[in-house]
Amino acid sequence: MITFSIDGREVQSPENLMLVDAAKYGDVEIPVFCYEPKLGNPVGACRMCLVEIEGIPKLQTGCSTPVKDGMVVHTQNTRVHEAQEAVVEFLLINHPLDCPVCDKGGECPLQDISFGWGGGRSRFIEPKRHFQKPLELSPLIAIDRERCILCYRCVRYSQEVAEDYQLVLQERGAASYVATFDGHPYVAPFSGNIIELCPVGALTSRPYRFRARPWDIEGSGSVCTMCPGQCNVTFTVRDDRVLRVLQRDNAEVDDGWLCDRGRFAYQAIHVDERVTSPMVRGQDGQLVPVSWDRALSEAAAGLTAAGSAVGALAGSGTTNEEGFLVQRIVREALGSRDLDSQRAPVSRDALLAISDPALQATVPDLEFAHAVLVLDTEPVDDMAILDLRIRKGVRRNHVKLAIASARPSSLDANAAASVRFAPGAGPAFAAELVSAAKGEPSSDDARSIVALLREAGEDVVILASERVGVALAALADALGLRDRAGAGLLVVPSSANGRGLREVGFLPDAGPGLSPVAEPGRHAGQIAEAAATGDITALWLLGIDPLRDLPYRLRWEQALSRAATVIAHTNFLTEGIRDHATVVFPAEAYAEKDGTLTHPDGRLQRVRPAIGHSGAGRYGWQVLTDLGTRVGLHVPRVLTSGIALAQLAQAVPFYAGITQDEIGGRGIRWQERPAASAFPAPAPASVNVSPAPRVGPSAPASGLRLGTFRSIWASPEVEHSPALAFLRPRQKIEMAPSDADRLGLGDGQRVLVSNNGTQVSATVALRQAIPAGSVFLQDGLAEDSANVLTGSIVEVRRA
Amino acid sequence: MTPPYDPGDVVEVLRAPEPGGAGGAYRAFGETLRGLKTTMKRMTEKPVTVQYPEEKYPVYPRFRGRHKLHRFEDTGLEKCVGCSLCAAACPADCIRVVAAENQPEHRVSAGERYAAVYEINLSRCIFCGYCEVACPFDAITMGHDYELSDYDRSDLIFTKEMLLAEPLERTPLRREGE
Ligand code: SF4
Ligand code: SF4
Ligand code: SF4
Ligand code: SF4
Ligand code: FES
C-alpha cells in the first residue's frame, strides 16, 4: 500500500495500480472508454481519462499511469474539466447522435460520459463522416461505423484475447473503421463478446436488435448449462421471455467472457419446437400431449412393471438434485443398479483417484501455473470458455503450454509443444507420460512433454478429458502435484454437469458421494446391450438422446425399439426420442431451472429460474418427486429445490451442510469447505498404471484410423436457435492432404466413410495438421453422426 | 363543562315573527317577489348550460387530452421510431413500446426502427404530458379528446392504430377571448 493524494484527499491504494483504479479507493471516478483490464495492457487511445499530476506539465492518461507513493493528482480542476469536455466534444464530432434508434441507448457509456463530463454543446457544424449503415459484421453482430469512437476494444479483443486475428482497423485518421481484414463476416466461437465490450452502439447484437430498452427489462443471474464451462450469465428478461444473455463476470469460472453458443442459444427457449407439455405415445404410434397426471401414471406404471430391469441415463444440464432423485428412485424404489451419466465408462476407483481434493486445480490456476498440459481434449469444443483462459495465461503470464491430443488443436499455435497420438490412445499416452515422469523407458514424445513441464516449473495444471481415467492421478503424482496449491488436475467431464452427476451417485458402480455399492450395475454401453437383448425393458433418459449423445448408435436403435417403456425428459424431440419414447416429460430450459450444478473444478453453482415455465412445464425436482411417490419411494416430500439440495447434502458426505445461501451467486468449491475431508480415500493400488503400448499416430496397415469429436455447435439448442442456424454443423471428414491424394479425393468432395457394414456420408475437409493415417468425424449431429460407425478403422471412398 | 358564553352576560333571544298576521303575509309575498326579481333580471340572458353530449365543451389549445401519434405529411411514414423514451419518462408506467426493424420492402418509420407495438393504457394515464416532452421526434403529442369513458377497462388500452387515427369527432377549441 502506498499513499497518494487525489483531489486534496489522502488515499491508500496498492502501488502500481493504474490511476483510474487507484482513484476508486478514494471514491473518485475517472471516466474511461478504451481502458479495459480484461483486454490486457492499456493503450491510451481515447484520452477520456486525462488527469493532472503535480510535477508533470501535461495532463496524463489515468488509465496508463501507475500510481506511485506521494503522487498528487487532480481530477476536479478547470484544466482537467476543460480537457474532459474537449475530449467528449471531439469524440462526438463524428458521432451521429442517433440515440433514439440506437440499441445501446440507455446503457451506453458514451451517453453517460457525455452527460456527466461533457460540455453539452458542440461547435462542429461541418458535415459528419458517413458510412453505410447498418451493416452485418456477422449474422450475429451488427456494426454501425458512424457510431464507432475508435477505442480499439473490439480489435484488441480479437487480436489479443480470442486471438482469432480477424478484426482490424482499416484506413487512417477520421476515415478509420473496424472491419475484418478482407471483408468476410466475423465468425468465431467467441465473437459475441465484442458486443458487450463496445462502449458505444457501434457493435450490437442482431438477435437482440431493437428488442428492448434497459428500462423495459430485468436481469436475472444464473449459470449457462450448455457445456461443463458453466459460465455465469445474466438473462435479460422482458415479458417473461429471455431476450439476451450477458456475462456475469466471475473470475473463478469464466473471467467475464462467454462463447457464442452460450450467448445466443437462449433463442431455443422460445421456439415452437420445444416440448412444453407431457406426451405419451398413443395407439397410432404418435406422441400426443396429455395431462401430467396421465403421463406420470403411465411413466410410473412402466417403471414399476420393469422394476429392476430399468436403465437410467443422464446428461447435459441435469442438475445435482434431479440426478440425486433419479438415482434414489432407480436404486431404492425400483431396485435397479443400472444407471450411468458418462459417455465412456470410468471406474469408481479411477474417479476417486482423479477427483481427490489434493489433486484438484481450479480454473484460474490455468492462467497462473508455470505450465499447462492439455491432454486428449479440445477446450474450444469440450469446455469452450477455457480456451480463452489458456490463451490468456500463455500471452500474459508466459505459461508454457503443452498439448497432447489425437486431433490437432486450435491452441497448437500457442503451445510450446504439441504431440499427436492415435485416436482413442489418450489413456495409453497418459500412461506413457507416467512412465516418462518416473524416469522409466517411454516414447520420445512423452519424454519431451514431461521435460517441458518440469523445466517450466513446479506448478503444472493438467487439463484432461475424463476418459483418460486413472492415469491422470498417477501422472499428477509423478509430477509432484499432490497438495500443491495452484497445480493439479482439471478433468473435463462428458456432459455439462458430469462432475455433479457422478458425485451425487449417478454411476453404475458408485452411490452418492462416490460411495461403494454392493454390486456394480451396467454402464451405458452395457445398458444398450441389455436393452437390445431384452434384459432391460425400461429406459429412462434425462436430457440425453442416446442416438445422438452416445456411441454405438445402431445398438441404441435396437435397444430403444426393443424397450417396452422409454421415458424421456427433454426439450426437443430429437430422433431417438421422437421415434422411440413412450412417455415424454418437458424438461426445463436452463432459464427455468432451479437447482445446483458442480463445475469440473468442484465449484457448486446455482441455476436460478429467470422466467416461468413455458406451457405446462414444471420443475424437474417436482416431476421427479411426484414420480418417485408413485413408484413407492418413501421420502420426506420435496417441496422446494432447497429441500432437494438439503437431502442431497445429507447423502454426499463431502457436500455436507451446503445450502443455497452458502453457494450464493458465485458458487463455492466443495474442496474449500471443511466437509471436504470426508472425501473417500482412493484405494492406493488403483493408481498403478500398466505400461502402455506404442500409440503414435502412424498409419494403420489398411484403412484409416477414425477419431471423433463433438463440435461446440453440435447441440439441439444451436439447431433450434434461428440466429445460430448458419453454424449448425454438417458432417465433414477431416483428413491429411497426403491421405486424400492417395485416395484421389479433393477438398469439398462428398465421400462415404464406412466400416463393419455401417457408413456415413461426409464432405472432405483437408487439414494440413492432421497426422497421416487418421481421419476425424463429428459426433452429436442429427444426421450422419459419427456414432453410426462402430469400429476404429474406416474406409473412405467417393460418394 | 364551561358554557360557550360568559355566564355573567345577558343573553337576548331574537325570535322570528309570529305566524299569521303581517309577518305571515310578508313571508308569503315579499320573499317570493324578492326571488322573482332575480329571475326576471336574468331572464334576458342566454343559458350557460352546455348541451353535452350534443354540444361539446371547447378546450384550450394546450389542453392535455388523449394522445395522438403523428405521421410525416409528405411521406406518410410514422414519426415514432419506437425508442421507448416516452415509456421511460411516463410516471404512471402506462406506455408499452416494442420496437422492430424497418425492412426495405416494409418501411414504417423514417428511422432504422419503428414501434411494432405502441400501447398507452389510458385508464392509468395521468395526462401529465411527460411523454410528449420526452419524445425526440415530436411523434407523440397530447390531443384534445377528453371523451374517454368506456364499458370495459381493457378497451382503454389504446393501440398504435387508434392513436394514429384522426379522432372521429374533433373536439372544439376555445377561441381567443372565450
Ligand atoms: S466498434 Fe466499438 S469497440 Fe470497436 S473500436 Fe469502435 S467503439 Fe471501440
Ligand atoms: S463456454 Fe460453455 S458454459 Fe460458457 S457460455 Fe459457452 S456453452 Fe455456456
Ligand atoms: S401523459 Fe404522462 S402518464 Fe400519460 S402516458 Fe404520457 S407520460 Fe404517461
Ligand atoms: S413516441 Fe416518441 S418517445 Fe415514444 S417511442 Fe415513439 S419516438 Fe420514442
Ligand atoms: S481510458 Fe485512458 S486513454 Fe482511453
Side-chain angles (χ1 to χ4, degrees):
Chain A
M1 284 294 205
I2 51 107
T3 307
F4 71 108
S5 140
I6 186 158
D7 296 338
R9 274 181 301 140
E10 300 283 300
V11 171
Q12 300 239 320
S13 88
E15 198 179 2
N16 283 338
L17 223 51
M18 292 305 161
L19 260 180
V20 291
D21 289 330
K24 292 184 188 142
Y25 282 80
D27 289 336
V28 173
E29 188 182 358
I30 301 175
V32 298
F33 282 117
C34 67
Y35 179 59
E36 172 54 72
K38 287 197 288 184
L39 295 175
N41 292 332
V43 290
C46 72
R47 320 310 284 179
M48 190 62 235
C49 57
L50 291 175
V51 294
E52 187 180 83
I53 301 171
E54 276 181 19
I56 307 183
K58 284 194 173 179
L59 297 183
Q60 297 297 306
T61 52
C63 70
S64 49
T65 310
V67 67
K68 297 285 176 205
D69 197 29
M71 227 178 211
V72 183
V73 184
H74 298 285
T75 71
Q76 297 296 341
N77 56 23
T78 333
R79 201 170 153 218
V80 175
H81 281 167
E82 270 172 10
Q84 287 169 337
E85 284 177 17
V87 171
V88 169
E89 187 182 359
F90 187 62
L91 288 176
L92 293 182
I93 275 183
N94 271 320
H95 193 84
L97 291 171
D98 53 357
C99 306
V101 293
C102 174
D103 242 350
K104 196 83 171 182
E107 48 189 7
C108 175
L110 184 59
Q111 280 185 330
D112 297 347
I113 292 176
S114 301
F115 188 73
W117 284 272
R121 84 207 126 74
S122 173
R123 287 164 289 171
F124 193 78
I125 46 167
E126 290 76 9
K128 298 196 174 198
R129 135 191 100 153
H130 283 293
F131 283 108
Q132 203 188 340
K133 74 182 214 172
L135 290 176
E136 281 186 25
L137 185 61
S138 82
L140 298 170
I141 304 169
I143 183 164
D144 183 322
R145 298 191 166 117
E146 292 181 353
R147 294 184 192 142
C148 172
I149 57 164
L150 299 174
C151 70
Y152 285 74
R153 278 188 179 202
C154 53
V155 175
R156 282 156 73 205
Y157 172 80
S158 168
Q159 303 285 336
E160 296 178 22
V161 178
E163 299 185 343
D164 48 43
Y165 305 109
Q166 294 193 42
L167 288 185
V168 288
L169 274 179
Q170 304 270 36
E171 304 295 337
R172 288 291 171 269
S176 318
Y177 63 91
V178 171
T180 53
F181 73 97
D182 58 356
H184 67 268
Y186 176 42
V187 176
F190 302 99
S191 67
N193 290 312
I194 59 171
I195 298 171
E196 271 186 86
L197 277 177
C198 182
V200 302
L203 299 169
T204 49
S205 155
R206 288 195 50 83
Y208 184 63
R209 196 163 167 77
F210 303 154
R211 289 294 185 283
R213 286 283 183 212
W215 48 87
D216 295 327
I217 56 176
E218 284 171 64
S220 178
S222 188
V223 168
C224 172
T225 66
M226 281 188 249
C227 89
Q230 294 179 12
C231 302
N232 293 194
V233 296
T234 304
F235 294 113
T236 292
V237 180
R238 181 182 193 187
D239 299 339
D240 217 25
R241 288 169 75 90
V242 175
L243 293 185
R244 173 171 74 168
V245 175
L246 298 177
Q247 51 93 1
R248 183 163 63 88
D249 195 354
N250 187 346
E252 306 292 316
V253 177
D254 50 41
D255 207 20
W257 308 121
L258 293 180
C259 74
D260 284 2
R261 173 161 61 151
R263 188 179 293 277
F264 296 108
Y266 69 86
Q267 287 196 312
I269 299 175
H270 303 292
V271 292
D272 296 341
E273 296 89 13
R274 242 191 89 198
V275 180
T276 53
S277 93
M279 294 195 275
V280 298
R281 200 166 289 278
Q283 298 296 339
D284 57 350
Q286 296 296 313
L287 286 170
V288 283
V290 294
S291 69
W292 274 100
D293 196 48
R294 163 99 193 277
L296 283 168
S297 51
E298 294 235 349
L303 289 175
T304 319
S308 64
V310 168
L313 299 169
S316 71
T318 309
T319 60
N320 294 343
E321 288 80 359
E322 290 161 358
F324 177 71
L325 284 166
V326 171
Q327 70 86 26
R328 281 201 66 185
I329 298 174
V330 171
R331 289 208 165 101
E332 293 172 29
L334 304 171
S336 166
R337 288 174 276 121
D338 305 327
L339 69 175
D340 201 357
S341 56
Q342 288 174 316
R343 229 180 106 82
V346 184
S347 69
R348 169 177 182 262
D349 286 340
L351 288 175
L352 279 182
I354 61 176
S355 320
D356 191 338
L359 289 180
Q360 301 301 298
T362 64
V363 173
D365 291 345
L366 284 172
E367 190 182 314
F368 300 108
H370 294 124
V372 169
L373 168 63
V374 175
L375 179 54
D376 203 13
T377 180
E378 167 68 334
V380 73
D381 287 334
D382 299 339
M383 192 165 163
I385 206 66
L386 295 191
D387 182 83
L388 295 183
R389 197 58 90 102
I390 294 171
R391 288 177 195 275
K392 181 179 180 192
V394 172
R395 174 175 287 268
R396 297 209 212 148
N397 303 331
H398 307 292
V399 173
K400 283 265 180 293
L401 177 64
I403 295 182
S405 64
R407 181 167 169 257
S409 166
S410 59
L411 287 165
D412 278 344
N414 302 55
S418 20
V419 301
R420 297 282 98 86
F421 46 73
F429 188 77
E432 275 186 16
L433 287 173
V434 177
S435 310
K438 287 184 182 159
E440 292 161 10
S442 180
S443 67
D444 290 346
D445 281 348
R447 274 203 306 276
S448 70
I449 295 272
V450 168
L452 179 101
L453 298 179
R454 287 242 164 90
E455 229 163 77
E458 303 87 11
D459 289 346
V460 176
V461 176
I462 304 173
L463 176 70
S465 162
E466 180 182 76
R467 61 178 173 260
V468 177
V470 70
L472 287 175
L475 180 58
D477 271 332
L479 291 171
L481 308 184
R482 186 168 286 273
D483 288 322
R484 259 200 102 77
L489 296 173
L490 194 55
V491 180
V492 183
S494 59
S495 70
N497 190 27
R499 178 158 194 159
L501 287 173
R502 69 180 194 233
E503 290 180 349
V504 301
F506 214 105
L507 289 175
D509 55 354
L514 293 172
S515 58
V517 292
E519 212 181 321
R522 298 181 175 99
H523 60 73
Q526 292 164 338
I527 291 178
E529 246 162 71
T533 57
D535 289 348
I536 283 184
T537 57
L539 290 168
W540 191 359
L541 313 169
L542 280 105
I544 192 168
D545 179 356
L547 295 195
R548 202 179 269 211
D549 299 327
L550 296 175
Y552 303 113
R553 183 177 171 120
L554 298 183
R555 170 127 21 98
W556 274 110
E557 266 172 22
Q558 294 164 1
L560 287 166
S561 21
R562 179 99 193 248
T565 307
V566 178
I567 301 168
H569 298 254
T570 188
N571 273 316
F572 294 104
L573 292 178
T574 46
E575 313 75 75
I577 292 164
R578 187 186 59 219
D579 298 341
H580 302 288
T582 55
V583 183
V584 175
F585 290 117
E588 301 156 277
Y590 64 129
E592 299 166 356
K593 264 184 192 292
D594 193 1
T596 59
L597 301 177
T598 309
H599 186 273
D601 75 358
R603 175 173 302 274
L604 276 96
Q605 306 206 80
R606 275 188 79 182
V607 200
R608 309 189 58 182
I611 52 174
H613 289 98
S614 301
R618 287 184 183 175
Y619 285 116
W621 48 262
Q622 186 187 357
V623 177
L624 294 172
T625 332
D626 285 352
L627 196 50
T629 321
R630 287 177 194 239
V631 298
L633 180 73
H634 299 295
V635 276
R637 290 285 288 172
V638 178
L639 301 172
T640 64
S641 65
I643 300 180
L645 177 64
Q647 293 182 0
L648 146 72
Q650 248 171 17
V652 179
F654 46 92
Y655 289 180
I658 203 151
T659 59
Q660 290 183 338
D661 276 355
E662 191 183 349
I663 295 171
R666 306 250 146 214
I668 182 162
R669 289 184 70 226
W670 63 256
Q671 291 92 339
E672 286 158 12
R673 301 174 70 246
S677 56
F679 190 80
S686 65
V687 195
N688 281 335
V689 175
S690 50
R694 173 81 196 119
V695 286
S698 57
S702 74
L704 292 159
R705 265 184 236 282
L706 171 68
T708 61
F709 68 99
R710 184 167 184 152
S711 146
I712 174 175
W713 307 119
S715 85
E717 286 87 5
V718 172
E719 242 163 67
H720 289 101
S721 295
L724 292 176
F726 77 102
L727 287 168
R728 183 181 171 171
R730 271 181 291 261
Q731 188 58 279
K732 57 179 186 193
I733 178 162
E734 295 181 347
M735 60 197 309
S738 60
D739 286 329
D741 279 350
R742 190 161 51 78
L743 296 168
L745 299 173
D747 203 25
Q749 204 155 36
R750 296 292 297 167
V751 291
L752 286 175
V753 188
S754 59
N755 69 1
N756 303 342
T758 54
Q759 64 173 31
V760 297
S761 57
T763 312
V764 173
L766 295 184
R767 265 184 87 177
Q768 202 70 46
I770 304 266
S774 299
V775 294
F776 293 90
L777 285 176
Q778 299 181 69
D779 254 337
L781 305 186
E783 291 126 30
D784 288 322
S785 190
N787 65 354
V788 171
L789 303 173
T790 54
S792 55
I793 306 285
V794 291
E795 302 293 337
V796 180
R797 65 191 150 80
R798 210 173 292 204
Chain B
M1 215 178 83
T2 31
Y5 51 89
D6 183 351
D9 274 1
V10 176
V11 178
E12 201 181 329
V13 178
L14 291 180
R15 294 191 185 283
E18 288 297 309
Y26 172 73
R27 254 201 310 222
F29 299 104
E31 287 295 282
T32 308
L33 284 175
R34 212 153 63 93
L36 274 173
K37 186 177 145 206
T38 308
T39 311
M40 297 297 164
K41 247 195 344 217
R42 300 271 159 162
M43 212 137 97
T44 53
E45 285 178 17
K46 286 222 180 101
V48 291
T49 319
V50 175
Q51 292 304 314
Y52 187 84
E54 284 79 29
E55 209 179 297
K56 287 194 185 169
Y57 195 75
V59 296
Y60 287 104
R62 60 158 191 266
F63 178 80
R64 297 194 302 264
R66 195 264 275 173
H67 314 67
K68 282 201 287 192
L69 283 175
H70 298 275
R71 295 179 188 272
F72 287 104
E73 273 164 19
D74 43 352
T75 55
L77 293 175
E78 287 167 19
K79 284 189 178 174
C80 171
V81 296
C83 68
S84 275
L85 287 178
C86 47
C90 178
D93 202 7
C94 64
I95 305 183
R96 176 164 177 266
V97 185
V98 180
E101 185 163 13
N102 275 315
Q103 303 300 333
E105 66 276 13
H106 176 68
R107 179 160 275 286
V108 180
S109 79
E112 276 171 50
R113 56 196 272 164
Y114 69 96
V117 175
Y118 190 100
E119 290 171 353
I120 301 186
N121 184 346
L122 283 176
S123 63
R124 273 197 182 185
C125 174
I126 56 166
F127 298 94
C128 61
Y130 283 11
C131 44
E132 179 177 6
V133 178
C135 181
F137 296 104
D138 292 338
I140 191 164
T141 56
M142 304 303 282
H144 299 133
D145 278 10
Y146 50 78
E147 293 180 319
L148 293 169
S149 49
D150 217 314
Y151 294 104
D152 192 337
R153 259 171 235 179
S154 56
D155 289 345
L156 285 171
I157 297 176
F158 274 55
T159 61
K160 188 172 82 171
E161 286 64 40
M162 297 158 84
L163 293 167
L164 276 168
E166 280 296 319
L168 290 180
E169 268 176 88
R170 280 191 170 279
T171 311
L173 282 192
R174 212 172 257 239
R175 277 184 304 272
E176 195 142 353
E178 242 182 309

